[in-house]
Amino acid sequence: MTKDYRHTLSVLVKHNLNTLSRIIGIFSAKGFELASVTFASEADPGMARVTITTYGDEKTVEQINKHLHNVVDVLKVTDLTHKKCIERELAIIKVSTAKVGRPEIMLIAQAFKAKVIDITSDKLALEVTGNTDKVDAMIEVLKPYGIAEMSRSGSVALKREFQGAVNIN
Amino acid sequence: MDVPATLKPVQKPTSDAQTHNGAELLIKTLADLGVDTIFGYPGGAVLPIYDALFNNHDLKHVLVRHEQAGVHAADGYSRSTGKPGVVLATSGPGATNTVTGIATAMMDSIPLVVLSGQVPTSVIGNDAFQEADIVGITRPITKQNYLVRDVNNLESVLREAFHIATHGRPGPVLVDMPKDMLNSRAKFKGTKDVDIPSFKPTIHGHQPQIAKAARMLSEAKRPLIYVGGGAILGEAWKEVTEFAERLNIPVTTTLMGLGAFPESKPQSVGMLGMHGTWYANMAMTECDVLLAVGARFDDRVTGRLNGFSQNSRKIHIDIDPSCIGKNVDVEVPIVGDVKRVIPAIDKLATPPQISEWWDTIHTWKKEHPLVVPKADDQIYPQHMIKMISEITEGNAIVVTDVGQHQMWAAQHYQYNHPRSWITSGGLGTMGFGFPAAMGAAMACPDRDVVCITGDGGFQMLTCELATAVEYKIPVKIAIMNNACLGMVRQWQQLFFDNRTSYSVFGSNNPDFVKMADAYGMIGMRATNPKEMREVLEKGMAIKDAPVLMDFSVVKEENCYPMVPSGAALFEMVESDEECKK
Ligand SMILES: Cc1ncc(C[n+]2csc(CCOP(=O)(O)OP(=O)(O)O)c2C)c(N)n1
């Protein structure tokens, strides 16, 4: 058995809900893990891109890949896991300021280059963008202060054009 | 767009030679696609289609008595010919009645196009009368499905549906058609080409893998070819047979692969799996190079996975990449059409030196033949199958239901021809046999079609006796009547301490001969071997009408060899006594 990894799959599909349902159906019917999924139109009319993050060993992800390919309206599946890719996720997090006051929370926000997008008497709403690891990290740091509510977009990702050795994140 | 009034086409609302309503367009397109028979049942949402079928001579419509049977009949039509089967059902309950049939076809990769009526587009989603979200319901059991809202798309969707159903790994496709769309008008285009950029199955195998496979087989000491239903679906029986004969490699087939390699050939070791032959299961266990051809390492074939063919290097050819490496790790995966890949391997391979391997197999065959009880004055199930095999000279199309009779029919009839064995393998659908046999008999009027069924499964769709009589479908129904749900009883006896909970009909079965009589067809009964021969000879001689033959067989007989669930192939048992241990 190989180890479970987080995989990001970018799936180019014909834009219709039947296709999206078929893709989700693979995960529920075959018992594959679905960590996040985004679905939105492509620049090309009639097309859409589904970005999926999932966990599994190489064999499982290969099966997922093949099943996705078998969906008639799927044009292309790219596994970005072992490729250089640009990946972003956005999260809006409402944190309680009751325990420590605003400045401390804002300091943390600054460290993560997050924006304050709403202020109330006892909460701050922060917007953070970055790869999933960064969003995860910020959530971990904020947890002790009390996260009232949050909403994550799920990952969107594309392959980098240049696949050589660089690291601009 | 503004067009001068003089250039505007004259709008003729009805009976325009240039345009057709959706229903007419449907019939026209089906005929253009070469469809000659459809199995259907009417209802409100499809009345426009039935109106278009009235006095239509391009298509034969067969009025079944239950939509599930309609799908099974279309399925049998397809399995016996390779052509796609076509079904028509109304919205709501008509459509939901097709579900078991569609799932059956999906599991066995049978190309079907199921046409369902739908409520008018304006009320879709309103819980309208006889509305069911059939596209949603059938999504996991179809290869693709469509809701056609615009009549202008109907023709191209239908062409796409047939293309998808029949290309790559075949499967059922459903097209849902709202009533208002069927009444709207559009032009018939007649463009035959279908181009779906997202649907391009891989046909030719990867050449380096093909070369590697050829090398492995040529150097093998104990090779085995394991042939599945894919060789039938891909019409590769000739290629497989020539290949195996030239290399003189033993061949086992799965339940779905029966007929892909003639069992009369010396290379045949018969069927493998849960009720496979001892020698096929042992060959699978002991082989050193395994060539899987359009088979999918189903759990009924492999038994306990960590005891399955542990020492073999595996080559797997399949058109569906998701079948490869799913249950069993494979060293040489080859995605492609078996009809192309097998000859490509054949070109590069040389016959391996395997006389010792053959000696071993011959010893197994001699020491562990298929078990057949000694003849006496009762009908043993195995003898019933053997007699049918003998009287039809192995040339019939055998269609079965699901249960013990299915396994005995697989074991004891000698299959030498492809598309001559029709059974629900993947889903194991009781009720499948009789309607599927009707479909096969309609598709192949020159062949004898025998439906070997159980008294349980036959009762699931006996309504179709009316269809068989109405259309004079010459199907021979042979009921292996053990007055119980035999396969369930066998498992209860062997694994539940013989507590035969709700599996014995006893005297609660109907009188099947009287039943045949009530439908106006010939029915005969046999209770001993002598009567059995008379009944079979008489029954098989009837060529222009259905006939029902009720054979009272020994009730307690169990089907062996058997790989108990959870056991490895080599742990199969050959008798009740052995099973107790
Ligand atoms: C629709 C359906 N329901 C239940 C089953 C489970 N099942 C498998 S075999 C079997 C018994 C079949 O009995 P019968 O048709 O009399 O055939 P026999 O085994 O006696 O030959 C049953 C109930 C099934 N396969 N399909």
Side-chain angles (χ1 to χ4, degrees):
Chain A
M1 267 301 215
T2 52
K3 235 181 84 197
D4 279 14
Y5 273 107
R6 178 168 172 276
H7 287 252
T8 307
L9 305 173
S10 182
V11 190
L12 189 64
V13 302
K14 272 204 224 164
H15 195 317
N16 62 54
L17 285 181
N18 200 12
T19 313
L20 181 63
S21 300
R22 280 186 178 272
I23 288 175
I24 307 288
I26 291 171
F27 287 82
S28 56
K30 313 269 174 193
F32 298 133
E33 192 131 356
L34 185 57
S36 79
V37 58
T38 68
F39 173 76
S41 309
E42 272 283 286
D44 206 350
M47 304 298 292
R49 187 173 297 277
V50 185
T51 310
I52 292 166
T53 55
T54 178
Y55 288 89
D57 58 17
E58 289 296 329
K59 213 179 127 180
T60 309
V61 175
E62 191 186 318
Q63 275 302 316
I64 294 176
N65 226 304
K66 290 172 171 176
H67 282 293
L68 288 170
H69 267 292
N70 274 356
V71 176
V72 169
D73 284 340
V74 165
L75 268 112
K76 197 169 173 205
V77 184
T78 318
D79 186 349
L80 297 172
T81 313
H82 302 299
K83 297 214 165 68
K84 299 244 171 350
C85 69
I86 359 175
E87 185 202 355
R88 288 294 178 270
E89 177 169 11
L90 183 144
I92 299 173
I93 310 165
K94 287 187 190 164
V95 199
S96 162
T97 50
K99 274 193 217 158
V100 291
R102 281 174 200 149
E104 184 165 343
I105 305 290
M106 286 169 78
L107 220 60
I108 296 169
Q110 233 171 32
F112 282 95
K113 295 198 181 109
K115 272 191 266 176
V116 176
I117 53 172
D118 196 24
I119 304 187
T120 57
S121 58
D122 59 346
K123 279 184 218 103
L124 279 182
L126 306 177
E127 174 202 310
V128 62
T129 315
N131 62 24
T132 296
D133 286 349
K134 174 180 163 185
V135 176
D136 283 346
M138 178 158 161
I139 290 166
E140 279 311 306
V141 173
L142 291 174
K143 263 187 193 161
Y145 303 100
I147 294 177
E149 250 186 310
M150 89 181 172
S151 176
R152 299 176 69 156
S153 66
S155 280
V156 291
L158 289 176
K159 199 177 86 177
R160 258 191 212 290
E161 287 300 312
F162 181 68
Q163 289 285 307
V166 282
N167 200 354
I168 356 164
N169 240 322
Chain B
M1 191 173 58
D2 271 342
V3 181
T6 46
L7 292 182
K8 272 191 185 158
V10 189
Q11 288 289 318
K12 271 198 231 157
T14 50
S15 62
D16 175 346
Q18 295 287 302
T19 67
H20 307 271
N21 73 20
E24 293 158 0
L25 214 55
L26 167 72
I27 308 298
K28 228 175 140 52
T29 311
L30 292 179
D32 193 55
L33 284 161
V35 175
D36 52 22
T37 309
I38 65 176
F39 299 88
Y41 205 84
V46 288
L47 283 178
I49 302 175
Y50 276 84
D51 192 59
L53 282 167
F54 192 65
N55 285 339
N56 177 289
H57 300 293
D58 295 339
L59 278 184
K60 174 167 185 164
H61 172 279
V62 179
L63 177 67
V64 290
R65 300 309 195 255
H66 190 302
E67 290 88 349
Q68 182 187 341
V71 187
H72 293 328
D75 183 319
Y77 176 96
S78 176
R79 292 189 205 223
S80 58
T81 58
K83 292 200 279 184
V86 185
V87 191
L88 172 59
T90 191
S91 69
T96 55
N97 266 352
T98 64
V99 167
T100 302
I102 297 175
T104 304
M106 183 70 174
M107 286 290 269
D108 290 343
S109 309
I110 305 304
L112 295 185
V113 175
V114 180
L115 307 162
S116 56
Q118 184 53 279
V119 299
T121 45
S122 56
V123 294
I124 288 181
N126 282 5
D127 296 336
F129 177 64
Q130 296 200 324
E131 176 180 4
D133 174 14
I134 198 64
V135 169
I137 291 170
T138 59
R139 197 172 284 129
I141 52 166
T142 49
K143 193 170 166 190
Q144 175 69 312
N145 56 9
Y146 305 86
L147 169 65
V148 186
R149 289 172 181 270
D150 181 349
V151 71
N152 291 298
N153 297 335
L154 179 62
E155 185 186 339
S156 59
V157 167
L158 288 167
R159 291 185 190 278
E160 200 172 302
F162 276 82
H163 181 85
I164 290 169
T166 50
H167 287 74
R169 180 181 181 177
V173 177
L174 178 132
V175 181
D176 199 23
M177 301 171 295
K179 191 172 185 179
D180 56 328
M181 185 281 289
L182 291 171
N183 283 323
S184 315
R185 304 189 74 82
K187 269 193 182 145
F188 177 75
K189 298 186 196 83
T191 348
K192 292 209 179 0
D193 296 341
V194 178
D195 180 42
I196 312 164
S198 58
F199 180 72
K200 304 269 184 230
T202 310
I203 303 297
H204 299 281
H206 188 54
Q207 194 56 39
Q209 297 288 60
I210 288 174
K212 187 169 177 194
R215 207 163 340 113
M216 278 163 65
L217 286 163
S218 309
E219 290 163 8
K221 294 273 166 293
R222 300 184 307 280
L224 179 68
I225 304 176
Y226 148 55
V227 182
I232 307 259
L233 295 163
E235 316 221 303
W237 46 80
K238 188 171 142 275
E239 289 76 6
V240 169
T241 306
E242 284 173 7
F243 175 64
E245 281 194 293
R246 188 178 75 80
L247 296 191
N248 192 30
I249 295 178
V251 180
T252 180
T253 62
T254 68
L255 182 71
M256 299 311 294
L258 287 176
F261 184 82
E263 293 189 326
S264 54
K265 302 264 184 205
Q267 289 83 8
S268 171
V269 293
M271 181 177 80
L272 86 167
M274 182 173 269
H275 290 288
T277 63
W278 170 279
Y279 32 96
N281 285 342
M282 287 312 290
M284 181 53 97
T285 304
E286 301 276 310
C287 65
D288 69 344
V289 173
L290 177 66
L291 174 67
V293 182
R296 59 185 175 92
F297 295 90
D298 175 80
D299 53 277
R300 285 292 192 261
V301 157
T302 61
R304 178 162 48 78
L305 272 176
N306 62 11
F308 174 73
S309 198
Q310 292 291 286
N311 302 317
S312 61
R313 300 172 66 190
K314 298 176 183 74
I315 307 158
H316 189 176
I317 313 169
D318 207 292
I319 194 135
D320 179 359
S322 75
C323 274
I324 301 181
K326 182 176 62 174
N327 301 336
V328 169
D329 287 330
V330 166
E331 181 178 334
V332 187
I334 305 177
V335 179
D337 182 351
V338 289
K339 199 176 171 70
R340 312 284 179 109
V341 176
I342 288 289
I345 298 178
D346 198 12
K347 230 188 235 168
L348 302 176
T350 51
Q353 298 307 311
I354 55 167
S355 53
E356 269 176 52
W357 178 227
W358 273 119
D359 290 345
T360 312
I361 290 173
H362 289 139
T363 315
W364 284 332
K365 276 193 172 182
K366 213 181 298 153
E367 289 174 358
H368 296 273
L370 273 177
V371 203
V372 183
K374 275 208 193 74
D376 57 29
D377 54 2
Q378 313 178 80
I379 302 177
Y380 284 93
Q382 298 90 331
H383 295 165
M384 169 179 161
I385 307 295
K386 280 185 165 302
M387 196 176 283
I388 295 175
S389 188
E390 177 207 315
I391 290 179
T392 59
E393 295 174 356
N395 289 323
I397 296 178
V398 175
V399 187
T400 77
D401 214 78
V402 173
Q404 287 183 314
H405 67 276
Q406 175 190 33
M407 293 301 134
W408 278 313
Q411 291 175 339
H412 296 284
Y413 195 96
Q414 199 184 64
Y415 298 96
N416 293 326
H417 311 289
R419 300 205 182 283
S420 300
W421 160 253
I422 296 177
T423 201
S424 165
L427 200 65
T429 307
M430 281 174 73
F432 170 83
F434 172 38
M438 294 197 317
M442 299 206 86
C444 308
D446 307 334
R447 307 265 317 259
D448 284 328
V449 177
V450 186
C451 168
I452 299 177
T453 181
D455 46 306
F458 179 60
Q459 288 187 69
M460 286 208 168
L461 284 167
T462 34
C463 54
E464 295 308 318
L465 287 170
T467 314
V469 171
E470 178 182 345
Y471 293 89
K472 298 193 173 60
I473 306 172
V475 42
K476 280 89 180 163
I477 305 163
I479 305 175
M480 185 182 281
N481 192 344
N482 52 14
C484 64
L485 297 170
M487 190 56 98
V488 172
R489 189 205 50 71
Q490 173 168 348
W491 282 55
Q492 287 172 334
Q493 181 193 331
L494 301 180
F495 311 119
F496 292 88
D497 214 9
N498 205 19
R499 290 153 60 90
T500 51
S501 181
Y502 299 99
S503 59
V504 179
F505 293 131
S507 57
N508 296 310
N509 266 338
D511 180 329
F512 290 110
V513 175
K514 275 195 186 148
M515 196 167 172
D517 190 44
Y519 279 93
M521 62 184 273
I522 300 164
M524 296 181 277
R525 179 176 295 114
T527 55
N528 61 50
K530 191 170 150 281
E531 285 174 9
M532 174 160 74
R533 182 171 291 279
E534 285 164 14
V535 165
L536 268 176
E537 278 173 353
K538 241 195 242 160
M540 291 310 301
I542 299 168
K543 304 285 180 193
D544 55 355
V547 51
L548 183 151
M549 299 169 279
D550 180 12
F551 300 106
S552 301
V553 300
V554 177
K555 298 182 175 55
E556 303 76 23
E557 193 62 19
N558 288 335
C559 184
Y560 292 108
M562 176 182 195
V563 180
S565 64
L569 287 185
F570 59 84
E571 292 162 341
M572 74 199 121
V573 289
E574 290 178 288
S575 65
D576 290 348
E577 295 70 44
E578 212 185 316
C579 199
K580 279 195 200 105
K581 283 184 216 151

